[in-house]
Amino acid sequence: VIEGKSTRLSNISSTSLSTVEIDLPYDKEKNERRPFCFISFQNEQSAQEVLRIQKHVIGDVTVDVKRAK
């Protein structure tokens, strides 16, 4: 299941091949994935391209894309 989510998450950067890492945080107390992830890009331009479109569809879920603080 998590592998499937990782594959779908990689679609968020399908227009740029510079995705470096996708981190899916895990809640050990609830024994489930957190409802967010972190995507690292190789360069700022790729990140800006993804951030430009505020909503992305991953599988059947629409997600908001935000810069990590």
Side-chain angles (χ1 to χ4, degrees):
V1 174
I2 297 307
E3 289 178 2
K5 287 183 181 180
S6 295
T7 301
R8 287 182 291 182
L9 285 173
S10 65
N11 291 338
I12 202 167
S13 62
S14 62
T15 58
S16 73
L17 301 174
S18 62
T19 302
V20 175
E21 178 182 12
I22 298 173
D23 180 24
L24 296 157
Y26 193 80
D27 186 331
K28 292 178 183 176
E29 292 179 15
K30 294 181 180 179
N31 200 30
E32 61 186 32
R33 293 282 172 194
R34 302 289 308 269
F36 60 89
C37 73
F38 297 99
I39 302 175
S40 299
F41 294 90
Q42 188 172 14
N43 59 55
E44 181 69 21
Q45 181 182 0
S46 297
Q48 289 298 331
E49 183 179 331
V50 172
L51 288 167
R52 183 176 54 80
I53 302 169
Q54 293 179 347
K55 298 208 182 274
H56 291 266
V57 177
I58 301 173
D60 58 350
V61 177
T62 300
V63 298
D64 294 320
V65 178
K66 301 174 186 171
R67 182 178 294 277
K69 295 180 180 182

